[in-house]
Amino acid sequence: MSVLNIKRISENYILVYMASVSNIKQIISEVIALLFNSEEKDAIEKAMKILIDFFNADWVYVATFDTEYKVADFLYEVTSTWVDTSKEDSSVLSYETIPWMIDTLISGNDIVLHDIKDLPEEAHIDRKLFQKQGLLSMLVLPLSFHGKIRGFLGFDAIRVRRQWTLSEIENVRIISNIFSIIIERQNVLENIQDSRKRLLQSNMRFQMIFSNLPVGVELYDTDGFLIDVNEADARIFGSRRECLLGINLFENPNLPVNVAGCLRRYENFDLPVTFHFDKIGNYYCSTITDRVKYLQIRGLILHDEELGKIGYLLIISDNTENRLKMEMEEKLRKAEEEKQKAELEMEKIREADKLKSAFLANMSHEIRTPLNAIVGFSGIMAEMETVEERRYFQDIINKNNELLLQLISDILDFSKIEAGVLKYQKKSINLKHICQGIANIYMASEFTHLRFVFDKDAHPDLLLHTDEQRIRQIIINLISNAYKFTDKGQIVLSYKLVGEFVQISVTDTGIGIPPEYHDSIFERFVKIDNFSQGTGLGLPICKTIVEALGGKIGLESELGKGSIFWFTLPLFSY
């Protein structure tokens, strides 16, 4: 394996490990928040639901032993949807049914079984119950009250065989200690006679675990003065425990206004906080001076049955590494998007270059064709003796002159459009007069092979404020295209009102346009028939002009039956 691959594997492992550490901190924070919040009546069940989801188990339970270790009383139990029955319903879990399990736990030993088949021979009685319950794997840790093993916390799997890592077992051990404290405190509160002694012992146990929690924990009195803090919290803020004790929460320069409001109103909260170390000043001593940390802070109001509100408990998770990772991933994503965008733009540029190259090649051919005709037939015409022969060749030369003029006109218009300097001269015009003038041209004898129709009596006078020259250019271009692809039948010029627009149409009985060209026909350099004369610029120029004048252009066509090219112009009242 190459050094580069080893490095990548190491980096991936570190990222996964960091994510796992961050997640378990969050889970422990959630469990603490639930278990130490006296307002939650079903806090333990909620905490167990968090654990069953996080550790992907099917059965999570907390049980206590009787004084003689003969019966296991399941106080709390949470199951996944894969479990059909509970432990309480399946049998009486006594020393007669699970002797090996009870002996192992009261000896202070953990039960870690990746596969139930690994049960020792002496567990043959327990094996019957486990097989009946369909267990595949299990993790059970003893719970100690007052220095004695008095119960256990268990995780069972029935879907797949669960491989428990050392890290997961240690994290579950921390959680089991928390459950021990909570259950012990509940038992103590139920026994009023020796409550003081047991509460003191419970608080001492809590202090030991409190100091070793992987998340930051801060304890404040009702005035906001810090009276206790654990080492994890001191590390988060780059300080020492003795330097932090005594500071006032409400004087923290990084304390958000909404957090301060929740605390003063004695409301629990769970909010993200951006902590700027350059704002600390003389608030407390820190080895961190110019960094920002992204924290998740959960605030709990502490209650006492007799005294009421007695202080605040803050649970702090450092999400900086995850936040920086997410920001890096976002930057990489944006960079990839920019790269793809640049590649797309480059592809468009290359495609445009190809189209322009094809256009130049096409122009060379299109311009040479009429020029060759003009030069060739001019020489022939000079040698003709009769007037009829000279007139015949003169007509050919004139048609090629018109074609060459149209080619040059299209190229000039296209160049002006590309440069953004095509000018428009708007004025009042009568659309009917324009259409009648164009119709007179196409009703001349040279176009008699097709019937050209414009019914002037069916079309009213219509005044528009637009560019007359450009309107003529569009209509003539559409009619010329219709003649080019129509061998027989007729061409009809018409217009009608559509809402606040007038729609002008040229309808032919020609060959029609294939459906796949309907969307691209108005794009530059597109030609349906490469053998027909033209630049492929006429329709794109028409589209640009129509849109500049405030309208739209489109077509309807069916192969073998003809086409309708139309465009709209806005109406103006005078």
Side-chain angles (χ1 to χ4, degrees), residues 14 19 28 63 82 90 100 130 158 179 190 193 208 269 334 363 371 379 389 439 466 491 531 559 565:
I14 291 171
I28 292 176
W82 293 81
S90 61
W100 172 82
F130 297 160
I158 66 171
F179 273 94
E190 291 172 357
Q193 293 180 354
M208 293 175 60
F269 64 89
K334 289 183 177 180
M363 286 303 95
L371 278 177
E389 289 176 330
T466 188
I491 294 174
F531 297 100
L559 277 177
F565 279 84

Side-chain angles (χ1 to χ4, degrees), residues 259-488:
V259 171
C262 290
L263 292 170
R264 294 188 187 281
R265 293 190 301 271
Y266 293 104
E267 296 176 356
N268 294 342
F269 64 89
D270 188 359
L271 298 169
V273 173
T274 302
F275 195 92
H276 299 269
F277 284 87
D278 56 357
K279 293 183 179 180
I280 292 175
N282 297 324
Y283 182 59
Y284 73 89
C285 298
S286 175
T287 57
I288 306 172
T289 56
D290 57 353
R291 283 183 58 194
V292 173
K293 283 195 175 186
Y294 302 96
L295 311 176
Q296 186 72 23
I297 300 181
R298 169 164 291 186
L300 302 174
I301 308 303
L302 301 178
H303 299 262
D304 181 82
E305 292 183 358
E306 296 181 359
L307 301 177
K309 309 291 189 304
I310 60 173
Y312 314 102
L313 181 71
L314 299 189
I315 305 169
I316 302 171
S317 298
D318 186 356
N319 296 331
T320 304
E321 295 296 334
N322 279 347
R323 175 66 176 269
L324 294 177
K325 179 186 174 185
M326 291 174 60
E327 289 179 353
M328 180 60 68
E329 290 175 348
E330 181 65 16
K331 289 179 180 179
L332 291 173
R333 185 186 65 80
K334 289 183 177 180
E336 183 63 25
E337 288 179 355
E338 290 297 327
K339 178 183 176 183
Q340 293 177 357
K341 184 177 179 181
E343 290 177 350
L344 182 60
E345 291 298 327
M346 185 60 65
E347 184 62 29
K348 288 181 179 179
I349 292 173
R350 286 194 290 264
E351 188 64 25
D353 287 341
K354 290 179 182 178
L355 289 174
K356 288 183 179 180
S357 298
F359 167 70
L360 292 175
N362 187 41
M363 286 303 95
S364 175
H365 168 73
E366 295 292 343
I367 292 174
R368 283 195 182 99
T369 300
L371 278 177
N372 289 337
I374 292 169
V375 173
F377 287 111
S378 295
I380 295 173
M381 186 177 69
E383 300 175 358
M384 295 297 100
E385 297 179 355
T386 66
V387 175
E388 290 77 10
E389 289 176 330
R390 285 197 295 271
R391 184 177 291 115
Y392 172 76
F393 287 110
Q394 184 179 359
D395 289 341
I396 295 175
I397 293 171
N398 288 338
K399 288 182 179 179
N400 282 276
N401 281 336
E402 292 174 2
L403 177 58
L404 182 60
L405 181 62
Q406 184 61 47
L407 288 171
I408 295 173
S409 178
D410 285 348
I411 294 171
L412 291 176
D413 283 343
F414 174 70
S415 299
K416 290 179 181 179
I417 291 172
E418 287 284 286
V421 296
L422 187 65
K423 302 298 182 182
Y424 299 92
Q425 301 294 329
K426 292 186 178 182
K427 62 179 181 179
S428 296
I429 64 169
N430 190 322
L431 182 59
K432 182 175 181 178
H433 292 170
I434 293 175
C435 291
Q436 185 60 57
I438 295 173
N440 291 338
I441 297 173
Y442 287 98
M443 289 177 182
S445 59
E446 59 182 305
F447 296 105
T448 55
H449 67 287
L450 294 174
R451 180 169 176 261
F452 187 88
V453 178
F454 174 71
D455 189 350
K456 64 179 181 180
D457 295 329
H459 294 81
D461 289 327
L462 187 61
L463 297 179
L464 300 175
H465 186 73
T466 188
D467 190 319
E468 179 177 359
Q469 178 184 352
R470 298 303 175 188
I471 298 304
R472 289 181 183 275
Q473 179 181 354
I474 296 169
I475 296 175
I476 291 173
N477 195 313
L478 297 181
I479 294 174
S480 297
N481 281 346
Y483 270 98
K484 190 184 301 183
F485 297 103
T486 304
D487 294 329
K488 59 182 179 179

Side-chain angles (χ1 to χ4, degrees), residues 65 69 94-95 98-113 118-124 126-127 130 138-143 148-153 173:
F65 294 125
Y69 299 101
S94 63
Y95 193 84
I98 50 171
W100 172 82
M101 182 176 177
I102 293 178
D103 286 339
T104 302
L105 293 170
I106 64 176
S107 299
N109 296 318
D110 302 338
I111 296 177
V112 183
L113 290 174
D118 297 333
L119 279 167
E121 289 294 329
E122 57 268 24
H124 60 279
D126 305 66
R127 185 191 303 275
F130 297 160
M138 64 189 306
L139 171 65
V140 186
L141 301 182
L143 301 179
K148 294 182 180 180
I149 306 298
R150 297 307 303 270
F152 52 89
L153 169 65
R173 198 183 309 282

